[in-house]
Amino acid sequence: LKSSLLSARKTMAHSCRVHESCVIEATIDKVWNQIRPSTFAWWKLVQSSSAEEGAPVGATSVQTYADGSKWTIKLLEMSDIKNFISWEIVASEEAIAVTSAVHTIRLRRITASSHTFVEWFTDFSSDATFEVIEDSKFKKLDAFKDLAEASK
């Protein structure tokens, strides 16, 4: 019975969008200063980045992760007015489990305090498995903790 439940779970319908959010107890300027360079230096999973400060939309950079994997990402959009950044994975040294993944991190000022509401969306191609979706969810939740710490 257990194996049939696991098998059914792997084939169940699921959304190809992951949306996670949190509140960080820091001003939007402090949080944006961590996000804007697109180096992900605030995230403990990212070991290094080739992103250059002020790189234009369309620029690519290589993110090296703690597990040794390397992803080339392309900056798709960035707004200092609306405080968001979007990028897509365009290449990886090791194959990733999806055809495409487009990420957006958006910050919103909480006007009743000096805190920041953070949203992170990822839109995956339709070949994303349940495991990919869940992994993305939990990595975002961990990343929020690192972002909060870096934004102090």
Side-chain angles (χ1 to χ4, degrees):
L1 177 66
K2 189 175 183 180
S3 66
S4 65
L5 288 175
L6 288 175
S7 178
R9 189 174 181 185
K10 287 182 181 179
T11 59
M12 77 172 49
H14 58 273
S15 171
C16 290
R17 172 175 259 208
V18 176
H19 172 225
E20 295 300 326
S21 61
C22 74
V23 173
I24 293 183
E25 295 181 8
T27 65
I28 197 168
D29 292 332
K30 285 184 179 179
V31 180
W32 184 239
N33 285 338
Q34 296 298 319
I35 299 294
R36 190 186 195 291
S38 68
T39 62
F40 305 93
W42 49 270
W43 194 7
K44 291 178 183 173
L45 279 184
V46 176
Q47 188 176 25
S48 65
S49 172
S50 69
E52 295 181 16
E53 181 76 30
V57 169
T60 60
S61 62
V62 176
Q63 312 294 326
T64 303
Y65 293 87
D67 68 359
S69 61
K70 292 183 180 184
W71 292 359
T72 302
I73 65 169
K74 180 179 180 181
L75 183 60
L76 298 176
E77 290 183 273
M78 180 185 295
S79 174
D80 289 321
I81 294 171
K82 295 182 179 180
N83 297 105
F84 77 89
I85 184 170
S86 296
W87 70 95
E88 69 177 326
I89 301 168
V90 295
S92 64
E93 281 193 5
E94 293 183 24
I96 57 175
V98 295
T99 305
S100 71
V102 177
H103 297 262
T104 299
I105 296 177
R106 179 179 308 274
L107 309 181
R108 299 184 190 272
R109 185 181 321 273
I110 298 177
T111 59
S113 68
S114 59
H115 299 159
T116 304
F117 181 70
V118 181
E119 295 177 285
W120 188 341
F121 301 88
T122 304
D123 291 307
F124 291 102
S125 52
S126 62
D127 58 348
T129 64
F130 179 77
E131 290 78 13
V132 167
I133 300 297
E134 286 296 294
D135 183 59
S136 177
K137 171 185 175 175
F138 291 113
K139 283 183 177 160
K140 285 173 177 55
L141 295 175
D142 285 342
F144 288 152
K145 293 173 191 172
D146 294 343
L147 181 58
E149 184 64 30
S151 299
K152 287 184 176 178

